[in-house]
């Protein structure tokens, strides 16, 4: 919509089409101060208006659910950065968060839980994605483009986690995101927020985000990470939106209380070759990473790393990265610098990869899942031999964005079993489907030795099941767990095989292994809840009695 002076005036409709909002000058005088006005579609009446504000540009976006109207305001004075500000339908400001650059475009996804925007930075434009949880806005993802590409985007109107970006050069990129838990195998929560990763050991304190114990600060926004926690080592690798790879070695968790409230700056690793845009990252061992990267596209990070060489690569690659630290490890301190990274092996990929997971039964291998659910095992190079992909005989019958590998069996006789959850709630394992209405799952080890003894799963009907891992392979799921659905009967509560989750939509985010015997749930509003199911508590008591720890 244009004013009489030819000025563009943004208009945004509420999701149900009953109301719409406009942004215009207070008196049509061309003033820098503007108002947001809310109108009724049928009568054309003005229902509400905001106070006069110095809005930055013509950005106005009404959340499809109708709860908030997003706009961009200048700082209250010249020393402050712009802010994304949210208004209610009555014109009152509800909340805001700061951005470090000019916002050119904002769009909500169809479920109103993600906000994406095009941000104009000094040397590039970026598509950024924010989410809201526990009264805090998190910057979760950034994709950089060259300024000449003039990137724009839309959200898929029916798929809430699909983002479609395009450039003036004709490149169209479709990104499918998934939510993954921030709680690692060692019960440590690592929450990404812009250029920070907030660290909280939930085994020491059940501290819900946005609170945290200490923080890691990186040179650019974090796009993803991988954690290694074996043999008393705690290491974290993170890849950034500028194409850098960072590595941190953490001290023993028992010493972390001394780190409370501190922020540690992490240096980029030293390398002579661009890693491209890393999509997936996994540890093979304490000095070796496996990465899925792409090169040569408008949003590939190698285009921004002009000082590094990539040898004219274009497309998707499976890369093995070797790490070496030139600094000595000091007990009780973090090692945040001195890391060197080099690509030791690279394989071309002809098909899209949707997930990778390390093999806990083998030190130098990982499972690669392709777009149709096929699984191949990657075996790292040893000596002069070259790393290679080998065909795995059991895959999934459908693509499973959430994939985990469980080590099952007894000591010395354990084997790896792949579990995968697809987009419609089917939990796959052991060449079959275990559950048709699963919303989230995790694993519990009663000896805290990485050998899994129980499968923990939550259903879409808000039921929590504790499944003995032996029942998965003995074919006793239907008889013992009633096909993971509620059966209306007069059974006593103590004979029921499930626990009612008291808050609708809560999901499993982590487990405390061993004697702790606890399950951590996160509700839709963001807070954490910890429960100790009787079944796991009894197992931990039996273990203590057997080991004469009483």
């Amino acid at each position: 919509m244009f004013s009489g002076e030819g000025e563009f005036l943004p208009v945004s409709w509420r999701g149900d089409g009953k109301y719409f909002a406009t942004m215009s000058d207070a008196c049509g005088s061309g003033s820098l101060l503007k108002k947001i006005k809310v109108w009724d579609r049928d009568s054309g009446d003005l229902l509400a208006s905001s106070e006069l504000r110095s809005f930055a540009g013509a950005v106005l976006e009404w959340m499809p659910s109708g709860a908030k109207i997003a706009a961009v305001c200048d700082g209250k004075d010249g020393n402050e950065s712009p802010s994304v500000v949210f208004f209610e339908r009555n014109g009152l400001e509800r909340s805001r968060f700061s951005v470090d650059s000019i916002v050119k475009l904002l769009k909500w996804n169809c479920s109103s839980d993600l906000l994406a925007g095009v941000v104009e930075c000094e040397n590039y434009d970026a598509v950024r994605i924010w989410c809201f949880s526990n009264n805090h806005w998190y910057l979760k993802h950034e994709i950089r483009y060259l300024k000449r590409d003039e990137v724009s985007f839309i959200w898929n109107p029916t798929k809430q986690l699909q983002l479609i970006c395009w450039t003036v050069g004709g490149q169209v990129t479709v990104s499918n995101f998934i939510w993954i838990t921030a709680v690692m195998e060692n019960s440590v929560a690592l929450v990404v927020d812009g250029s920070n990763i907030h660290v909280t050991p939930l085994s020491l304190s059940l501290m819900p985000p946005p609170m945290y114990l200490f923080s890691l600060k990186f040179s650019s926004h974090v796009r993803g990470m991988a954690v290694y926690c074996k043999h008393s080592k705690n290491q974290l690798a993170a890849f950034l939106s500028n194409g850098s790879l960072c590595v941190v070695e953490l001290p023993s968790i028992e010493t972390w209380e001394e780190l409370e409230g501190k922020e540690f700056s992490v240096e980029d690793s030293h390398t002579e070759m661009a890693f491209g845009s890393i999509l997936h990252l996994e540890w093979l061992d304490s000095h070796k990473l496996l990465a899925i990267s792409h090169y040569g596209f408008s949003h590939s990070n190698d285009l921004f790393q002009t000082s590094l060489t990539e040898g004219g690569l274009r497309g998707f690659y499976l890369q093995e990265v070797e790490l070496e630290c030139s600094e000595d490890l000091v007990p009780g301190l973090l090692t945040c610098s001195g890391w060197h990274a080099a690509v030791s092996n690279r394989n071309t990929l002809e098909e899209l990869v949707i997930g990778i997971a390390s093999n806990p039964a083998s030190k130098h291998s990982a499972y690669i899942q392709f777009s149709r659910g096929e699984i191949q095992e990657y075996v790292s190079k040893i000596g002069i031999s070259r790393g290679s992909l080998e065909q795995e005989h059991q895959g999934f019958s459908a693509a499973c964005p959430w994939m985990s590998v469980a080590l099952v069996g007894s000591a010395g006789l354990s084997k790896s079993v792949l579990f995968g959850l697809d987009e419609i709630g089917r939990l796959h394992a052991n060449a079959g489907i275990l559950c048709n209405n699963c919303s989230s799952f995790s694993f519990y080890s009663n000896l805290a030795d990485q050998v899994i003894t129980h499968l923990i799963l939550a259903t879409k009907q808000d039921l929590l099941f504790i499944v003995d891992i032996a029942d998965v392979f003995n074919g006793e799921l239907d008889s013992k767990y009633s096909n993971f659905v509620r059966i209306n009967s007069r059974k006593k509560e103590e004979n029921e095989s499930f626990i009612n989750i008291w808050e609708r939509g809560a999901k499993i985010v982590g487990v405390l292994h061993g004697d702790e015997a606890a399950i951590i749930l996160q509700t839709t509003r963001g807070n954490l809840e910890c429960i100790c199911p009787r079944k796991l508590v009894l197992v931990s008591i039996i273990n203590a009695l057997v080991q004469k720890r009483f």
Side-chain angles (χ1 to χ4, degrees):
M1 186 172 71
F2 291 88
S3 65
E5 291 79 18
E7 180 186 6
F8 176 72
L9 302 177
V11 177
S12 182
W13 290 82
R14 200 172 77 168
D16 59 4
K18 189 175 181 180
Y19 306 106
F20 65 94
T22 62
M23 182 188 296
S24 59
D25 298 339
C27 301
S29 58
S31 170
L32 294 177
L33 299 177
K34 294 181 172 62
K35 282 186 175 183
I36 293 178
K37 298 180 180 180
V38 179
W39 308 81
D40 183 85
R41 178 197 63 188
D42 297 326
S43 66
D45 293 337
L46 176 63
L47 302 179
S49 61
S50 69
E51 297 179 351
L52 286 172
R53 297 293 180 91
S54 179
F55 289 101
V59 179
L60 189 66
E61 180 72 6
W62 201 327
M63 180 186 285
S65 67
K68 302 172 186 174
I69 304 171
V72 182
C73 291
D74 291 332
K76 294 180 180 178
D77 54 58
N79 297 323
E80 292 192 11
S81 58
S83 297
V84 177
V85 184
F86 303 96
F87 297 87
E88 297 178 349
R89 188 175 71 84
N90 57 14
L92 297 178
E93 180 181 329
R94 186 169 184 175
S95 60
R96 65 167 61 205
F97 66 88
S98 298
V99 289
D100 55 6
S101 305
I102 299 173
V103 179
K104 300 164 62 175
L105 175 67
L106 288 175
K107 292 287 184 183
W108 294 98
N109 70 337
C110 62
S111 58
S112 301
D113 57 353
L114 293 177
L115 178 65
V118 175
V119 179
E120 184 178 355
C121 302
E122 184 176 354
N123 300 316
Y124 59 89
D125 288 346
V127 177
R128 293 181 182 173
I129 301 175
W130 297 271
C131 75
F132 184 76
S133 180
N134 244 9
N135 205 35
H136 179 78
W137 282 95
Y138 295 89
L139 174 53
K140 284 298 184 183
H141 202 75
E142 180 183 76
I143 309 171
R144 294 188 178 185
Y145 285 83
L146 300 173
K147 281 186 172 291
R148 66 171 181 263
D149 289 329
E150 299 181 25
V151 63
S152 190
F153 72 91
I154 59 169
W155 288 100
N156 188 311
T158 59
K159 297 181 179 180
Q160 61 186 29
L161 295 177
Q162 187 176 91
L163 183 73
I164 305 169
C165 302
W166 65 88
T167 67
V168 292
Q171 179 179 294
V172 179
T173 305
V174 180
S175 301
N176 293 296
F177 297 98
I178 63 168
W179 284 109
I180 59 174
T181 177
V183 181
M184 304 297 118
E185 294 176 5
N186 58 352
S187 306
V188 174
L190 300 168
V191 180
V192 174
D193 188 8
S195 58
N196 287 77
I197 293 180
H198 301 313
V199 184
T200 305
L202 299 179
S203 58
L204 299 180
S205 175
L206 194 68
M207 191 182 301
M211 296 184 289
Y212 54 88
L213 187 69
F214 64 93
S215 184
L216 303 174
K217 177 72 174 179
F218 297 86
S219 62
S220 184
H221 298 305
V222 178
R223 287 187 59 172
M225 61 183 169
V227 174
Y228 181 86
C229 49
K230 295 178 182 178
H231 312 299
S232 73
K233 275 186 172 290
N234 295 291
Q235 293 174 299
L236 181 146
F239 56 94
L240 312 181
S241 61
N242 64 0
S244 299
L245 178 67
C246 299
V247 181
V248 183
E249 182 153 348
L250 303 166
S252 175
I253 294 179
E254 289 75 17
T255 66
W256 285 12
E257 290 185 358
E258 302 173 3
L259 309 178
E260 184 175 0
K262 297 180 180 180
E263 182 177 273
F264 300 90
S265 296
V266 181
E267 293 184 5
D268 298 347
S269 62
H270 304 282
T271 184
E272 297 180 355
M273 180 173 289
F275 296 110
S277 287
I278 298 177
L279 302 176
H280 304 280
L281 190 66
E282 188 64 74
W283 289 89
L284 291 175
D285 62 32
S286 59
H287 289 86
K288 201 171 291 184
L289 290 165
L290 189 64
I292 309 295
S293 304
H294 64 68
Y295 293 83
F297 302 115
S298 296
H299 56 291
S300 295
N301 294 129
D302 58 286
L303 299 180
F304 299 94
Q305 298 173 300
T306 55
S307 60
L308 302 178
T309 59
E310 77 284 342
L313 299 175
R314 185 175 182 87
F316 294 86
Y317 292 86
L318 177 65
Q319 302 185 131
E320 191 174 317
V321 181
E322 292 196 1
L323 304 171
E324 184 179 348
C325 186
S326 59
E327 296 186 3
D328 295 330
L329 176 64
V330 180
L333 298 179
L334 285 77
T335 305
C336 301
S337 59
W339 289 93
H340 299 261
V343 177
S344 60
N345 186 44
R346 180 182 286 124
N347 293 344
T348 304
L349 293 171
E350 303 297 335
E351 191 175 350
L352 288 177
V353 172
I354 64 172
I356 60 177
S358 61
N359 182 0
S362 176
K363 187 178 180 182
H364 300 285
S365 73
Y367 295 103
I368 315 295
Q369 183 187 175
F370 293 92
S371 57
R372 292 191 296 269
E374 308 97 326
I375 300 291
Q376 287 187 342
E377 184 179 3
Y378 176 84
V379 180
S380 173
K381 69 185 186 73
I382 301 175
I384 61 174
S385 62
R386 192 167 181 262
S388 61
L389 282 169
E390 299 179 358
Q391 186 66 39
E392 178 69 16
H393 64 278
Q394 285 185 353
F396 303 129
S397 58
C400 294
W402 298 272
M403 179 177 70
S404 295
V405 184
L407 189 65
V408 301
S410 57
L413 300 174
S414 57
K415 64 176 182 177
S416 296
V417 178
L418 281 85
F419 289 78
L421 179 62
D422 63 25
E423 292 182 340
I424 62 175
R426 295 181 302 181
L427 182 61
H428 301 246
N430 201 28
I433 296 177
L434 306 183
C435 176
N436 287 300
N437 62 340
C438 179
S439 63
S440 56
F441 72 99
S442 187
F443 303 106
Y444 169 78
S445 172
N446 62 9
L447 296 177
D449 60 355
Q450 295 188 330
V451 177
I452 301 303
T453 57
H454 293 81
L455 166 67
I456 317 296
L457 70 89
T459 70
K460 296 178 180 180
Q461 289 74 38
D462 299 312
L463 305 178
L464 181 68
F465 289 86
I466 316 296
V467 182
D468 291 284
I469 203 71
D471 294 337
V472 174
F473 304 101
N474 295 337
E476 299 180 356
L477 295 180
D478 290 348
S479 59
K480 285 190 176 183
Y481 305 97
S482 304
N483 203 24
F484 302 106
V485 296
R486 186 194 303 271
I487 302 297
N488 295 323
S489 66
R490 295 178 176 269
K491 285 185 179 181
K492 294 183 179 180
E493 184 177 348
E494 58 265 22
N495 292 328
E496 291 182 341
S497 59
F498 59 84
I499 301 170
N500 287 296
I501 299 177
W502 54 93
E503 185 150 352
R504 185 177 180 183
K507 292 189 176 182
I508 303 167
V509 294
V511 171
L512 301 182
H513 300 279
D515 292 345
E516 298 289 340
I519 299 172
I520 303 170
L521 303 172
Q522 186 168 34
T523 64
T524 53
R525 62 179 184 272
N527 63 305
L528 299 179
E529 302 286 349
C530 184
I531 63 172
C532 298
R534 179 173 52 190
K535 188 172 183 177
L536 298 186
V537 172
L538 290 175
V539 169
S540 66
I541 292 173
I542 292 172
N543 284 334
L545 293 174
V546 170
Q547 298 170 7
K548 298 182 179 180
R549 292 187 288 113
F550 51 86

